[in-house]
């Protein structure tokens, strides 16, 4: 199978970054001296989940780093649940910046990548220039909503199933990842993921230990819980929240309160987009991201 990078309009570099107990696989595009943007994917994607954003950002002059987060694709996938604690996940991003020789970067995240981005902005705000969040609430808003809204708790029941040892990996991996493919297609618009996209994802999913690593993100989060002062912290860096209103897992009701937890927060709701907003509406997402990032000096 050809490298998924071959479908992008800009050339991608490949390199590796050592981060404590793991080696992270990173794709990069754009001028080396451009303002740095880090794109963080979520479950069950890998760097390829940003295929529609990498080219426009690089062509606008940004240096774009797109890692496979730990547990995914070519990055290492430790066997221990504790290796996926949010403190380690945010440390991975800080080490990406260190390896690039940068003190700060714009950070954009989707799904679990957005949770890492929220946490980094709250715990290490001096390392984030501007924050971009796609379809994940502020952690404090999520905690409060889970406690108060039975409908959101019902939407999140799948995460309880992921706590079961080994069984979710087996079920989701059957038929060369047919379960994960159904999850993607069932939560997206009919035209969101092509057969070629799913072939690229399947190649990533079938790597040894990767299904376990991907699900360990949920298991580590359940062990920690949404506890502590950090969860409720206010975000001080300028933040753009982009939200696909047709998200089947996360209620739109959490979008506005999440932007309100930011000192300088702005919300854009795309009524016709799903959880996979950067795939459903790439031109609009790219336009909003470029406008947001341009509001900060390099």
């Amino acid at each position: 199978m050809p490298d998924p990078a071959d479908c992008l309009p800009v050339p991608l570099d490949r390199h590796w970054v050592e981060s404590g107990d793991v080696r992270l696989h990173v794709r990069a595009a754009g001028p080396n001296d451009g303002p740095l943007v880090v794109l963080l994917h979520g479950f069950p994607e890998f760097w390829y989940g940003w295929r529609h954003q990498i080219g426009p950002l690089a062509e606008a002059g940004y240096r774009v780093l797109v890692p496979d987060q730990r547990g995914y694709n070519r990055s290492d996938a430790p066997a221990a649940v504790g290796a996926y604690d949010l403190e380690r996940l945010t440390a991975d991003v800080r080490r990406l910046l260190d390896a690039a020789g940068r003190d700060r970067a714009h950070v954009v995240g989707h799904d679990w990548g957005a949770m890492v981005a929220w946490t980094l902005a709250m715990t290490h705000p001096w390392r984030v220039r501007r924050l971009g969040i796609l379809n994940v609430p502020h952690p404090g808003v999520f905690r409060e909503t889970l406690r108060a809204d039975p409908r959101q708790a019902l939407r999140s029941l799948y995460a309880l199933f992921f706590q079961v040892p080994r069984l979710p990996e087996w079920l989701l991996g059957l038929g060369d990842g047919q379960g994960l493919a159904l999850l993607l297609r069932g939560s997206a618009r009919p035209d969101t993921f092509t057969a070629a996209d799913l072939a690229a994802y399947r190649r990533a999913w079938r790597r040894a230990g990767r299904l376990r690593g991907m699900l360990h993100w949920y298991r580590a989060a359940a062990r920690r819980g949404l506890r502590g002062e950090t969860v409720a912290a206010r975000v001080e860096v300028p933040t753009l929240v982009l939200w696909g209103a047709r998200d089947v897992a996360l209620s739109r009701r959490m979008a506005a309160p999440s932007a309100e937890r930011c000192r300088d927060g702005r919300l854009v709701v795309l009524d016709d987009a799903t959880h996979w907003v950067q795939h459903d509406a790439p031109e609009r997402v790219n336009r909003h991201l470029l406008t947001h990032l341009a509001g900060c000096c390099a």
Side-chain angles (χ1 to χ4, degrees):
M1 176 183 290
D3 188 330
D6 293 342
C7 74
L8 269 65
V10 294
L12 263 67
D13 303 328
R14 183 201 304 276
H15 62 273
W16 305 85
V17 171
E18 300 292 334
S19 181
D21 57 336
V22 301
R23 189 172 72 141
L24 299 172
H25 172 247
V26 184
R27 303 308 296 254
N32 286 320
D33 59 351
L36 187 64
V37 180
V38 178
L39 304 178
L40 301 173
H41 69 83
F43 175 89
E45 301 193 272
F46 64 108
W47 70 260
Y48 182 70
W50 295 106
R51 60 193 173 277
H52 301 299
Q53 285 68 51
I54 295 170
L57 287 168
E59 290 167 351
Y62 291 97
R63 179 63 172 171
V64 186
L65 297 185
V66 198
D68 289 331
Q69 298 209 73
R70 62 169 62 201
Y72 286 85
N73 194 35
R74 292 180 179 270
S75 289
D76 290 344
V81 173
Y84 300 87
D85 187 88
L86 269 169
E87 291 179 2
R88 297 199 183 192
L89 302 174
T90 56
D92 288 344
V93 183
R94 299 198 307 272
R95 288 180 178 125
L96 286 179
L97 271 58
D98 294 341
R102 307 293 188 97
D103 294 326
R104 304 169 70 199
H106 302 297
V107 180
V108 180
H110 171 252
D111 191 78
W112 267 113
M115 192 61 75
V116 174
W118 278 120
T119 304
L120 180 68
M122 291 188 289
T123 58
H124 294 78
W126 56 92
R127 307 223 65 177
V128 181
R129 290 188 179 278
R130 287 188 168 240
L131 182 66
I133 297 294
L134 279 63
N135 269 78
V136 160
H138 181 286
V141 171
F142 190 43
R143 177 177 65 181
E144 294 161 10
T145 304
L146 280 175
R147 291 173 174 174
D149 188 345
R151 292 169 294 182
Q152 181 56 57
L154 185 62
R155 289 187 181 200
S156 300
L157 278 179
Y158 70 93
L160 289 179
F161 170 64
F162 288 170
Q163 305 306 313
V164 178
R166 294 184 293 278
L167 179 60
E169 288 92 322
W170 179 74
L171 284 175
L172 293 176
L174 282 175
D176 193 24
Q178 185 63 19
L180 280 171
L182 288 172
L183 183 153
L184 283 175
R185 282 189 158 161
S187 59
R189 299 192 317 196
D191 60 345
T192 297
F193 297 105
T194 67
D197 294 334
L198 292 177
Y201 286 124
R202 282 189 164 102
R203 183 169 70 171
W205 298 336
R206 72 172 70 105
R207 294 183 186 276
R210 294 328 187 262
L211 290 177
R212 178 192 62 206
M214 292 156 57
L215 291 165
H216 273 359
W217 283 58
Y218 289 91
R219 293 161 182 156
R223 288 186 178 185
R224 168 189 281 260
L226 294 171
R227 300 186 300 271
E229 294 180 3
T230 298
V231 168
R234 184 175 175 82
V235 175
E236 296 298 325
V237 302
T239 302
L240 170 67
V241 178
L242 288 167
W243 201 281
R246 294 170 57 190
D247 193 320
V248 299
L250 296 167
S251 169
R252 174 182 176 170
R253 289 187 294 274
M254 296 186 286
S258 295
E260 292 165 4
R261 294 292 176 98
C262 307
R263 180 181 60 81
D264 180 10
R266 184 168 71 94
L267 170 65
V268 175
V269 176
L270 283 70
D271 289 325
D272 58 340
T274 69
H275 179 73
W276 313 101
V277 60
Q278 76 272 34
H279 305 294
D280 290 338
E283 294 83 7
R284 282 177 286 166
V285 168
N286 295 345
R287 183 174 69 250
H288 287 300
L289 283 177
L290 287 167
T291 299
H292 176 60
L293 300 185
C296 182
C297 60

